[in-house]
């Protein structure tokens, strides 16, 4: 179970680090091309804030359990990822981006597993 939990944490961290970094560094036009049309429906300040939160979540998923300091922060980060995915599911469903809805459901399920795994250990 520990190996599976680490794999899920790392996959989530990589996805959220990449997405968050893109939201923090790319222009709106490049974000739309890379992340999708939903960027047009959200104010740029909110997109940048979401990017910062995603980068922090990526760090929180891996660093605390890796160094053994406050490992329960990983459960908090995974819970935050779940909440972000719920919002993403709603946003993508509204935009009729159903492939993204499926991907967000998968990421939300992984976040639930990561939260449960951290709390159970």
């Amino acid at each position: 179970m520990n190996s599976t939990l680490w794999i899920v944490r790392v996959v989530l961290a990589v996805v959220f680090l990449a997405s968050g970094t893109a939201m923090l560094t790319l222009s709106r036009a490049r974000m739309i091309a890379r992340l999708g049309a939903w960027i047009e429906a959200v104010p740029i300040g909110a997109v940048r804030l979401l990017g910062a939160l995603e980068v922090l979540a990526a760090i929180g998923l891996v660093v605390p359990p890796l160094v053994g300091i406050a490992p329960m922060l990983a459960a908090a980060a995974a819970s935050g990822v779940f909440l972000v995915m719920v919002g993403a599911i709603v946003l993508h469903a509204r935009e009729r981006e159903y492939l993204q809805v499926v991907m967000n459901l998968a990421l939300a399920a992984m976040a639930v597993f990561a939260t449960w795994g951290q709390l159970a250990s």
Side-chain angles (χ1 to χ4, degrees), residues 2 7 12 17 22 25 33 42-44 46-47 52 63 67-68 73-74 76 78-79 84 93-94 100 104 112:
N2 195 32
I7 290 168
L12 285 172
L17 184 61
T25 60
V42 179
I44 193 67
V47 174
V63 173
V67 298
L73 288 176
S79 297
V84 168
R94 243 190 267 159
Q100 285 82 4
N104 294 143
V112 168

Side-chain angles (χ1 to χ4, degrees), residues 18-92:
S19 175
T21 301
M23 288 182 213
L24 288 172
T25 60
L26 297 179
S27 67
R28 183 180 281 273
R30 291 192 61 197
M31 276 190 274
I32 292 168
R34 185 168 176 191
L35 301 173
W38 68 271
I39 298 289
E40 292 174 319
V42 179
I44 193 67
V47 174
R48 301 280 188 218
L49 176 61
L50 180 60
L53 293 173
E54 288 190 4
V55 169
L56 290 173
I59 294 167
L61 284 165
V62 176
V63 173
L66 186 65
V67 298
I69 298 172
M72 291 316 245
L73 288 176
S79 297
V81 166
F82 174 77
L83 293 175
V84 168
M85 288 299 93
V86 168
I89 290 165
V90 170
L91 189 97
H92 288 297

Side-chain angles (χ1 to χ4, degrees), residues 2 4-14 61-62 65 74 114 118:
N2 195 32
T4 305
L5 182 57
W6 270 106
I7 290 168
V8 168
R9 278 187 196 135
V10 169
V11 168
L12 285 172
V14 167
L61 284 165
V62 176
Q118 184 63 47

